[in-house]
Amino acid sequence: MYDETAQWIKEQVGQLSKSELLIVKGVLDDIAAGRPVERFEVGTKVYVGTNGMTVFVVQGTVPWHENGVVSRKVQVRSVSGHFSGHVDPRELRRVP
């Protein structure tokens, strides 16, 4: 079973773009560091930060390079369309 899984992963990784590989690396780094990993689908409504009340819509996930470290950020846009940016996924809360 392990060999089959390893082969499947190898085949899938071989088909990824550079951008997608960087996102996978960011996720694996989070897992290795013991940080929670949550995936936000495009179109998901979220708040940013613990006290945020502005509703944002997830636009996608992108690799983020900072000080030589690759991580992932979630690209968001406010429902009103006035604000947008890239946010660490750990700073997001789903809108109930």
Side-chain angles (χ1 to χ4, degrees):
M1 178 67 172
Y2 174 81
D3 291 335
E4 292 171 8
T5 301
Q7 181 61 36
W8 181 85
I9 290 170
K10 183 178 178 180
E11 290 168 3
Q12 300 307 307
V13 167
Q15 299 175 29
L16 297 176
S17 68
K18 181 178 179 181
S19 178
E20 291 168 327
L21 282 172
L22 291 173
I23 291 171
V24 170
K25 182 186 181 315
V27 169
L28 292 174
D29 288 346
D30 284 345
I31 292 169
R35 294 186 291 265
V37 176
E38 186 167 1
R39 185 168 187 264
F40 293 91
E41 296 288 335
V42 171
T44 302
K45 292 184 178 179
V46 295
Y47 297 116
V48 176
T50 56
N51 297 319
M53 296 308 291
T54 301
V55 176
F56 289 84
V57 178
V58 171
Q59 303 297 299
T61 302
V62 296
W64 195 260
H65 305 267
E66 192 170 351
N67 299 326
V69 176
V70 176
S71 61
R72 62 192 177 99
K73 298 282 183 170
V74 176
Q75 187 174 2
V76 295
R77 177 187 47 81
S78 65
V79 172
S80 67
H82 292 114
F83 304 104
S84 63
H86 297 86
V87 183
D88 186 314
R90 294 171 288 180
E91 295 180 36
L92 299 177
R93 294 179 294 126
R94 293 179 189 275
V95 173

